[in-house]
Amino acid sequence: MRSRNGLWRVAELPTTRAGVERAFSYFTAGVRLGTVAQMVPAVQLGAARAPHESGYLACWGAAALAAVAVSVVTLVRRRPPGTVVSVLDFGLACALLVLGPLVLAPWDRFGTWTAFQPGYALSVIITAGGVRGLAVWAASLLAVSLSYVVYLGGDVGSEMTSTAVGNVLTYVVYALVARMFFGYTRRIARDADASRARAAELARREEERRAQVMMHNGVAVMRLLTEQGDDVSRARLVGQAEFELRRMRSYLRGTDARGTDARGGDSRGGDAGGGDAYASDGDGPPAGLVPVVKRVCDRFADLNVVASLDLGTGLRIPAAQAEALERALGSLLLNVRVHARAHEVVVHLDGTREEGWTLTVHDDGVGFDPATVTAGIGLREVVVGELRRRGLAVGIVSAAGEGTTVTVRSRPEPGAGPPGPERPTVRAAFADVP
């Protein structure tokens, strides 16, 4: 029942090229059948007054049959007539106009539907506006106009000259308007399809980026689990692996990864590192900044992390920023574990509600040469990309033999761009975990 009724719900047709062509088929059928409806009441009178009744009825029947046939075929094919059908349609319209003087009395050629030929020709012109070939359309319009001149013949009084000229101009104007209507509507549909395709591609890329962000840290931990040689090293990574496993499962299931209370503890009684306290889309109440940072630092206690967080006590940040910051800080410390060979990592937090806050992560590891190292997914997306998307400023500075410093600020100075050296050093800030 729904599909049957939906056939006529033009307003519910999709705004795609296929939907537009289907709407054109309704338009074409409506114009052609509407013309037949106007022809029917006058057929009896026209046949009675025609000099050749049988010839008049034959012409009328050919026009009505063609109109109905075109309408049915158009509705079945769900698109307006193609080039071949339109050429045949124009040919019939021209033939009916040329035969008009033979089957109509001179006084019946204007102002009445007993002379159906001009009206039928107009319906063909309007519905053929969707013909793809410009040359075919223009030649057919010219042929109809010349046939109409033949239709007028020499028996029409001079007082009807203005009406005849007006009818020819009507053909031309309606043909141009119909073609503009078909062409512009098709262009809108093409643009709509292109926009949808672009939106789908952007959504795919965004989902790919989200997958990289959500999976990156977990993949890094799993790599470490397979490479660490002794049981002590592996046991140290189990808690982090469980944490990242819950996060990845939540992402794959499309559900929230809530597992900690407002104080940062794991409400499910899992590892001391706690679960992901935030929804996968960043929804939720503000989170305490210190618990977020401390929770990550606790998971990397083996790195000799010195966390100086007292100056940030009481600060709260939106859930989306907290989720991004926790993931980014975890990715940074993973990179330190894999690449830096650092003896100590200092995490310092400072700030106020009024002035904003600054989080600095510095390791005394080997550092790197910014000219030779390119950022990978972890630094580019998990750290810089995600934090900047959440409205946080990120600066990364490193030098060979001097360690690496990462600075996250809650509020960049108004009107100020990133520091001069930030862009090149961000690109080469860390040798990323593959």
Side-chain angles (χ1 to χ4, degrees):
M1 185 67 180
R2 180 179 178 182
S3 59
R4 180 181 179 183
N5 293 337
L7 178 66
W8 304 104
R9 295 177 181 173
V10 180
E12 298 180 9
L13 288 176
T15 55
T16 60
R17 280 183 286 185
V20 164
E21 295 301 316
R22 187 171 179 180
F24 286 160
S25 71
Y26 294 158
F27 171 78
T28 300
V31 171
R32 302 305 292 273
L33 295 178
T35 300
V36 173
Q38 291 177 295
M39 292 166 53
V40 168
V43 60
Q44 185 176 1
L45 177 61
R49 297 172 60 173
H52 301 285
E53 180 179 356
S54 58
Y56 177 89
L57 291 175
C59 290
W60 190 96
L65 180 62
V68 172
V70 169
S71 299
V72 172
V73 172
T74 298
L75 289 175
V76 172
R77 297 175 71 240
R78 298 186 176 184
R79 59 179 182 269
T83 302
V84 174
V85 173
S86 296
V87 169
L88 294 176
D89 222 3
F90 272 116
L92 178 60
C94 292
L96 292 175
L97 287 172
V98 171
L99 294 175
L102 301 178
V103 298
L104 291 171
W107 55 84
D108 279 342
R109 296 185 200 175
F110 291 104
T112 172
W113 272 98
T114 56
F116 61 88
Q117 292 87 340
Y120 179 82
L122 181 60
S123 71
V124 172
I125 288 173
I126 292 175
T127 56
V131 175
R132 303 284 183 176
L134 178 60
V136 172
W137 172 80
S140 300
L141 176 61
L142 178 61
V144 170
S145 299
L146 294 176
S147 297
Y148 184 72
V149 173
V150 175
Y151 169 82
L152 296 177
D155 297 331
V156 179
S158 59
E159 67 278 2
M160 300 301 294
T161 301
S162 60
T163 301
V165 172
N167 288 346
V168 173
L169 292 177
T170 297
Y171 285 165
V172 175
V173 171
Y174 273 83
L176 293 174
V177 170
R179 188 161 184 83
M180 181 182 69
F181 165 71
F182 277 90
Y184 184 67
T185 307
R186 280 173 173 159
R187 177 186 168 190
I188 292 175
R190 286 195 302 269
D191 290 347
D193 282 350
S195 297
R196 274 187 288 268
R198 177 62 176 166
E201 175 63 17
L202 291 176
R204 184 194 65 79
R205 292 181 183 179
E206 174 62 15
E207 188 60 30
E208 184 179 79
R209 183 195 65 79
R210 289 186 65 243
Q212 291 175 343
V213 169
M214 295 299 298
M215 302 292 182
H216 176 270
N217 290 0
V219 172
V221 173
M222 285 187 285
R223 173 192 163 182
L224 290 173
L225 279 170
T226 60
E227 293 181 353
Q228 294 291 344
D230 56 273
D231 293 339
V232 175
S233 300
R234 291 186 178 182
R236 188 175 57 199
L237 294 171
V238 169
Q240 294 180 40
E242 291 178 351
F243 171 80
E244 295 298 339
L245 179 61
R246 286 198 296 270
R247 190 196 299 274
M248 288 190 291
R249 281 178 174 173
S250 298
Y251 169 74
L252 293 174
R253 293 172 181 173
T255 58
D256 291 350
R258 301 180 186 275
T260 61
D261 56 26
R263 297 182 300 276
D266 191 342
S267 62
R268 291 167 297 189
D271 61 88
D276 189 354
Y278 317 107
S280 59
D281 59 359
D283 292 337
L289 180 56
V290 170
V292 170
V293 177
K294 187 176 185 302
R295 183 163 57 243
V296 181
C297 293
D298 289 344
R299 295 204 302 269
F300 292 86
D302 60 292
L303 295 179
N304 191 22
V305 177
V306 178
S308 178
L309 310 177
D310 293 343
L311 295 179
T313 301
L315 294 177
R316 300 184 68 81
I317 59 176
Q321 287 187 354
E323 179 184 3
L325 182 62
E326 181 173 357
R327 198 154 47 229
L329 184 55
S331 183
L332 289 174
L333 295 179
L334 277 171
N335 274 280
V336 171
R337 172 174 286 159
V338 175
H339 299 289
R341 298 197 295 275
H343 299 290
E344 185 179 72
V345 180
V346 177
V347 179
H348 181 265
L349 177 62
D350 187 8
T352 64
R353 292 187 180 91
E354 294 75 18
E355 300 297 330
W357 52 268
T358 300
L359 177 68
T360 303
V361 181
H362 172 75
D363 70 79
D364 59 358
V366 296
F368 59 91
D369 181 2
T372 61
V373 180
T374 301
I377 293 174
L379 183 68
R380 185 179 65 248
E381 294 294 342
V382 181
V383 179
V384 178
E386 280 294 288
L387 293 180
R388 286 185 173 178
R389 287 184 184 91
R390 301 303 184 182
L392 301 174
V394 185
I396 304 176
V397 177
S398 185
E402 298 182 8
T404 301
T405 301
V406 179
T407 303
V408 182
R409 294 185 179 89
S410 64
R411 189 182 306 167
E413 294 181 6
E422 178 179 340
R423 287 190 180 273
T425 54
V426 165
R427 289 192 60 193
F430 270 70
D432 187 34
V433 178

